[in-house]
Amino acid sequence: MLFNSIDFAIFLPVVFILYWLTRRWLKVQNLLIVIASYIFYGWWDWRFLSLIFVSTATDFLIGLGLEKEEHSGKRKLLLWTSIIVNIGILGFFKYYNFFVENVSSLFSFFGSSISVHSLHIILPVGISFYTFQTLSYTIDVYKKRLRPDKDFISFAAFVSFFPQLVAGPIERATNLLGQFHQKRKFTYEQAMDGVQQMIWGFFKKMVIADNCAGFANLIFDHPESYSGSTLVLGALFFAFQIYGDFSGYSDIAIGTARLFGFQLQKNFAYPYFSRDIAEFWRRWHISLTSWFRDYIYIPLGGSRGGTWKKIRNTFIIFLISGFWHGANWTFIVWGALNAVYFLPLLLTKRHRDHIEIVAKGRVLPSFKEFTKIITTFALTLFAWIFFRSESLAHAGKYIAGIFSKSLFTMPEYPGIFDSLILLFLIFIFMTIEWIGREKEYAIAGIAAIKNQYIKWVLYYLLIMVIFLFAGKEEHFIYFQF
Amino acid sequence: MKKFILQICCLVISCAISILLIFFQADGYADPYYLRFTTPQQSSLILGSSRAAQGIQPQILDSVLERADFFNYSFTIGTSPYGDTFLKSIKKKLDPATTNGIFILCVDPWSISNRQPQNLFKEETLFLGTTRNVNQKPNIPYLWNSFDDPYYKLFFNKLPISTRTRSYLHEDGWLELISASDSKRVKKNTTNRIREYQQDYLPYYQFSPERLNALEKTIDFLKGHGNVYLVQLPASSMIMQLDSALIPDFSLKIDSLSKTKEIPFLDLSRDRDCFSYSDGIHLTRASGCEVSRLIGEWISAHRSYGSTRKILE
């Protein structure tokens, strides 16, 4: 079920009303969340429900087992069981064909051949997200950072919570699980804030991302037909497509959760205003990068130790991050490129130079800050080419096309006039983001407007802008991960 | 909570009313298809692909044949080749009480061909297959589900920006192309079209016996409501060559069909050099006017001959 669909427009109010009607009974509310979440997830394909149930049941039981078990060897065995089950499910559905095809290619390279069978495997929506979510629970219980949950319904609700199930944020049990054990109270301000963030999320997704998708697809699908300058524009459209799509989804998820009294973690913090790559990775897909930091990077030693260890750990993290996104060498190269960007900052101890948001308390950035923002954006734009390309050859062709004589010609592609309107909308969008950059999300400040009429007129205008300018419906990009 | 629900309901209702008002603004500039789904049921139809949609002007036929009921219900190669989907839609568009309608079926090789694989009738999933009600104004299901552009285009498309090629769909279903028609633009459009047909269509299309069968069924159905006429519109020489490459014996097939069904067939492709085209395929306004007049006069002659024959018999 897509957030921007009639199905969801009917589903959400029904669940909302039933949820608050049962506010006196916490267990009933949690059960309602589980049922609603399973309906939401099963809407794609009911067969996927068995996987999420297996993942849920496995980690629930392992959590209980870890509490009872004191012997370190047996505890480790339980932990590894959880890791194998979760990563095994993920590995099979996401990476089986990739490994099979690459092993076959490797054998062919050495002059041998083996008979391998690719399988027609449908990737279950959200599998990369909820497996990591349940895995983090098991690891936290193992490390005794968290007591295991003894209530299966609460735990199942934590794993399957529909607003964040299919594309994050990847929640930690330490943040979300406890909220299922507390009575949720409806407050007008929280609900309105949730609606407001949802509206902003829909704007990012339907106006920015879906419109950019049309041009990005057009240009990326046939790079040989376009000039270097057009290819740069294509990469730019993709950069805003992926940002609008993913951060838009996160805003809708967080806003929806707020309607039910839940607080989800922030997933994007204005990453395109970053002054260096380290800051970018503190602001982009925060729930995933913090997961990798806490469960892989830090256990490996993090940025402590010798230079070679730092380099090794950095590459491991970025390569795994790339690989998490998909079974394609392009994602691995994308990850490696980001590691190359990040390393100089880490080795020169400049990776924590920019913690606070740029130009805090000021209207405009300084010239130096502006230059850094543009440079960082250009580096990420270049990396996005690999992320978007179908293959390394495709990425190579695209990049070669950019760095050709036609880079300095006027862009030319179908619908160029319409794309000028889109570029104007992107400008407005980034201006709003800039103005609201010190807040949780860009338009959070609207809630503080005292004049109710102005506030509601602004909501009405935003919704009408979404209606008038929404692009052709595209699937959320991160559903494929 | 009550305050929250009430305020959200007011917001939703305000937006819904605004959206409805916006939908009422949809007119012939909206897109090349919408208006055809907003008129009441019709009694005389022009059917075919975009060659017919742009090439045949109902008002000219009305004038020549002294009627006032011609309606152009033609779409594109992809959406209205002859088939079950098009026939179902025609049945919805036609006034079932019609007994003396005139039906002009424009045929070309693409309208009885299918993109591979053979059993793929893609138009079922496109707007002609999914628009259930084809006689409703405003046609909200069409605008909600099938209108391809952002909705601001409902207003933007009305603006006469000279460098843009625009189209205007008249109330009678004729699609008029409004654009600068300088020879440079026409040459560029023609080159692009030919390349499109050569690279994107010809390698993948094949004659479809199922579609020819569907054409026969369409003829049989329409004969029950009036007189049916087959017409092959002209196109530029290069396009006609591509047409022939697709189905080399196309004329023979249509000739044979016309004899079997005892309906007249007018082949204007032989006179292709007498007309001008905006892109090698679609007749210009002036040529479309001329072609429509020729078709009208031909139909008139056939009707007179038919009446005379009946008297003599």
Side-chain angles (χ1 to χ4, degrees):
Chain A
M1 201 186 292
L2 291 174
F3 281 160
N4 53 326
S5 67
I6 301 286
D7 299 335
F8 187 71
I10 297 168
F11 170 86
L12 183 63
V14 169
V15 175
F16 176 81
I17 288 167
L18 288 173
Y19 179 83
W20 289 112
L21 280 175
T22 54
R23 62 186 177 279
R24 291 201 186 100
W25 307 284
L26 186 62
K27 284 190 191 292
V28 174
Q29 261 194 339
N30 288 343
L31 181 62
L32 178 67
I33 294 225
V34 175
I35 295 168
S37 300
Y38 272 60
I39 291 171
F40 179 87
Y41 193 58
W43 210 261
W44 268 281
D45 191 327
W46 61 269
R47 294 170 296 178
F48 295 162
L49 293 173
S50 56
L51 287 173
I52 193 172
F53 183 77
V54 163
S55 188
T56 304
T58 303
D59 288 324
F60 178 74
L61 292 170
I62 285 175
L64 292 176
L66 281 168
E67 192 185 41
K68 284 181 192 156
E69 193 53 66
E70 285 301 326
H71 189 271
S72 65
K74 286 182 182 167
R75 284 173 59 79
K76 220 169 217 170
L77 183 64
L78 284 169
L79 175 66
W80 275 103
T81 304
S82 171
I83 292 171
I84 288 165
V85 167
N86 285 299
I87 301 298
I89 291 173
L90 184 63
F92 174 74
F93 282 95
K94 208 164 163 179
Y95 302 107
Y96 174 83
N97 285 333
F98 175 79
F99 278 114
V100 149
E101 283 154 14
N102 277 277
V103 162
S104 171
S105 301
L106 197 62
F107 270 83
S108 304
F109 183 76
F110 288 108
S112 226
S113 69
I114 53 167
S115 166
V116 290
H117 298 287
S118 302
L119 300 175
H120 177 62
I121 300 173
I122 304 167
L123 181 67
V125 176
I127 193 168
S128 303
F129 292 88
Y130 68 74
T131 48
F132 270 42
Q133 189 155 308
T134 54
L135 206 44
S136 79
Y137 165 80
T138 322
I139 295 170
D140 283 348
V141 170
Y142 172 79
K143 288 189 179 292
K144 298 188 180 179
R145 287 185 208 143
L146 183 72
R147 302 269 324 260
D149 201 328
K150 292 189 165 69
D151 178 4
F152 182 73
I153 297 296
S154 299
F155 184 73
F158 157 69
V159 176
S160 64
F161 191 38
F162 73 88
Q164 46 90 233
L165 173 61
V166 294
I170 301 171
E171 280 294 330
R172 304 293 182 88
T174 45
N175 177 47
L176 184 57
L177 185 54
Q179 294 183 56
F180 287 98
H181 291 280
Q182 292 161 10
K183 232 174 178 172
R184 275 85 61 182
K185 197 176 167 215
F186 178 87
T187 65
Y188 173 84
E189 290 73 23
Q190 186 174 248
M192 275 315 303
D193 191 55
V195 167
Q196 198 172 268
Q197 192 162 5
M198 286 173 73
I199 293 173
W200 186 237
F202 280 118
F203 174 83
K204 284 178 172 179
K205 163 62 180 156
M206 296 169 75
V207 176
I208 302 299
D210 287 352
N211 278 308
C212 284
F215 292 106
N217 292 342
L218 180 75
I219 296 168
F220 267 88
D221 285 351
H222 299 286
E224 67 282 355
S225 306
Y226 301 108
S227 64
S229 52
T230 304
L231 297 177
V232 170
L233 266 179
L236 185 78
F237 284 130
F238 180 70
F240 284 101
Q241 177 194 351
I242 195 165
Y243 177 54
D245 193 280
F246 198 16
S247 69
Y249 185 95
S250 292
D251 280 329
I252 298 167
I254 294 166
T256 305
R258 216 165 270 153
L259 283 178
F260 295 89
F262 290 93
Q263 301 293 335
L264 298 182
Q265 66 165 303
K266 197 171 176 179
N267 214 13
F268 289 84
Y270 313 97
Y272 285 161
F273 298 145
S274 300
R275 287 153 288 186
D276 59 40
I277 278 294
E279 186 182 8
F280 176 83
W281 282 106
R282 279 195 298 276
R283 295 178 177 279
W284 179 276
H285 202 175
I286 296 166
S287 64
L288 180 71
T289 50
S290 63
W291 197 102
F292 281 130
R293 181 198 63 213
D294 294 342
Y295 297 109
I296 299 178
Y297 188 65
I298 289 173
L300 284 174
S303 54
R304 282 176 279 166
T307 303
W308 287 114
K309 203 173 178 189
K310 284 182 192 171
I311 295 171
R312 179 201 71 179
N313 292 346
T314 301
F315 265 96
I316 285 172
I317 274 315
F318 277 105
L319 287 175
I320 291 176
S321 176
F323 201 46
W324 177 91
H325 282 86
N328 195 321
W329 286 105
T330 52
F331 294 115
I332 294 170
V333 169
W334 171 76
L337 198 50
N338 275 281
V340 166
Y341 292 160
F342 183 81
L343 264 175
L345 294 168
L346 179 67
L347 296 176
T348 56
K349 295 194 169 98
R350 301 195 62 185
H351 59 291
R352 296 193 70 77
D353 274 5
H354 305 296
I355 301 296
E356 291 209 328
I357 189 70
V358 62
K360 187 170 180 177
R362 288 182 276 131
V363 173
L364 293 172
S366 64
F367 180 74
K368 192 175 172 188
E369 284 169 336
F370 181 72
T371 313
K372 285 183 175 182
I373 291 171
I374 296 299
T375 307
T376 306
F377 184 73
L379 289 172
T380 56
L381 197 75
F382 183 78
W384 283 137
I385 293 171
F386 289 93
F387 193 95
R388 172 59 179 79
S389 297
E390 303 289 325
S391 65
L392 291 179
H394 183 202
K397 202 169 26 165
Y398 200 96
I399 292 165
I402 289 177
F403 294 107
S404 62
K405 283 183 211 169
S406 60
L407 179 58
F408 303 102
T409 57
M410 279 296 286
E412 199 176 322
Y413 50 91
I416 192 167
F417 193 85
D418 292 336
S419 74
L420 291 176
I421 295 173
L422 176 57
L423 286 168
F424 177 70
L425 283 170
I426 291 172
F427 173 74
I428 299 293
F429 164 58
M430 292 308 284
T431 303
I432 295 172
E433 289 254 298
W434 175 261
I435 293 167
R437 70 193 181 282
E438 295 184 38
K439 302 207 170 7
E440 275 293 299
Y441 56 97
I443 63 165
I446 291 182
I449 295 174
K450 289 205 169 81
N451 189 316
Q452 294 292 305
Y453 294 111
I454 292 176
K455 199 159 75 173
W456 284 96
V457 164
L458 284 173
Y459 294 148
Y460 166 81
L461 286 174
L462 253 176
I463 292 172
M464 292 316 297
V465 164
I466 292 168
F467 171 74
L468 286 169
F469 290 93
K472 195 171 162 195
E473 188 186 305
E474 301 274 340
H475 273 298
F476 284 95
I477 295 177
Y478 269 70
F479 281 4
Q480 63 189 292
F481 305 140
Chain B
M1 173 118 60
K2 279 180 195 161
K3 180 184 170 189
F4 172 75
I5 292 173
L6 191 63
Q7 286 179 338
I8 295 295
C9 285
C10 288
L11 180 64
V12 167
I13 290 167
S14 310
C15 292
I17 292 171
S18 303
I19 289 169
L20 195 61
L21 289 171
I22 288 170
F23 281 165
F24 269 100
Q25 306 308 308
D27 60 7
Y29 288 110
D31 73 8
Y33 322 110
Y34 170 68
L35 266 197
R36 294 194 187 103
F37 299 123
T38 63
T39 54
Q41 287 180 317
Q42 303 290 324
S43 48
S44 291
L45 297 172
I46 300 155
L47 305 167
S49 65
S50 59
R51 295 186 199 192
Q54 291 182 38
I56 302 183
Q57 299 175 29
Q59 63 195 26
I60 305 292
L61 290 168
D62 283 336
S63 166
V64 170
L65 294 166
E66 290 171 358
R67 294 172 75 106
D69 65 345
F70 272 101
F71 187 80
N72 196 323
Y73 201 59
S74 307
F75 297 91
T76 67
I77 284 177
T79 44
S80 59
Y82 291 102
D84 287 341
T85 302
F86 197 15
L87 180 56
K88 272 186 203 153
S89 196
I90 290 166
K91 285 178 179 174
K92 288 181 206 168
K93 196 68 197 172
L94 182 66
D95 182 351
T98 303
T99 53
N100 65 341
I102 295 179
F103 307 102
I104 300 169
L105 274 61
C106 294
V107 290
D108 59 65
W110 308 93
S111 64
I112 53 168
S113 296
N114 220 5
R115 201 173 178 102
Q116 292 311 297
Q118 267 289 17
N119 59 351
L120 185 66
F121 291 90
K122 187 186 163 191
E123 71 272 19
E124 283 168 1
T125 58
L126 301 178
F127 63 81
L128 203 62
T130 57
T131 305
R132 290 206 178 109
N133 191 332
V134 299
N135 310 298
Q136 174 187 324
K137 186 172 186 173
N139 199 314
I140 293 169
Y142 175 87
L143 288 171
W144 192 262
N145 298 316
S146 306
F147 186 72
D148 263 348
D149 286 332
Y151 290 113
Y152 77 88
K153 291 278 182 105
L154 292 176
F155 303 99
F156 186 76
N157 285 351
K158 297 179 207 258
L159 300 174
I161 298 170
S162 60
T163 53
R164 273 194 312 136
T165 297
R166 293 190 301 155
S167 62
Y168 182 74
L169 185 58
H170 292 256
E171 289 269 350
D172 58 13
W174 170 47
L175 182 65
E176 182 184 0
L177 219 62
I178 307 166
S179 62
S181 56
D182 55 277
S183 57
K184 193 176 165 192
R185 187 185 284 242
V186 168
K187 196 175 172 192
K188 186 183 172 191
N189 289 342
T190 305
T191 308
N192 288 341
R193 277 287 181 202
I194 290 169
R195 186 170 51 218
E196 184 187 15
Y197 270 63
Q198 277 173 335
Q199 291 174 6
D200 297 341
Y201 296 159
L202 195 57
Y204 306 106
Y205 271 76
Q206 229 178 56
F207 166 66
S208 166
E210 290 90 354
R211 291 211 185 275
L212 183 61
N213 185 247
L215 173 58
E216 290 178 32
K217 277 192 208 163
T218 306
I219 292 168
D220 291 338
F221 167 73
L222 292 171
K223 277 176 87 173
H225 294 275
N227 298 322
V228 180
Y229 301 87
L230 289 174
V231 171
Q232 185 177 2
L233 292 173
S236 67
S237 304
M238 270 302 299
I239 294 294
M240 297 300 317
Q241 276 179 36
L242 293 170
D243 285 359
S244 298
L246 177 61
I247 304 178
D249 61 343
F250 175 76
S251 295
L252 284 170
K253 280 184 165 56
I254 301 300
D255 236 355
S256 164
L257 177 66
S258 115
K259 286 184 174 89
T260 308
K261 297 293 176 187
E262 292 179 343
I263 56 175
F265 169 43
L266 174 63
D267 184 356
L268 287 169
S269 64
R270 292 173 196 142
D271 303 321
R272 57 183 169 266
D273 296 328
C274 302
F275 305 108
S276 58
Y277 311 93
S278 57
D279 59 359
I281 295 174
H282 301 105
L283 290 159
T284 58
R285 194 182 322 160
S287 287
C289 191
E290 181 59 20
V291 161
S292 303
R293 188 186 58 75
L294 282 170
I295 293 171
E297 286 167 358
W298 171 74
I299 290 173
S300 182
H302 265 277
R303 283 160 75 86
S304 303
Y305 173 69
S307 305
T308 309
R309 213 173 80 170
K310 272 197 179 134
I311 291 167
L312 288 174
E313 280 167 6

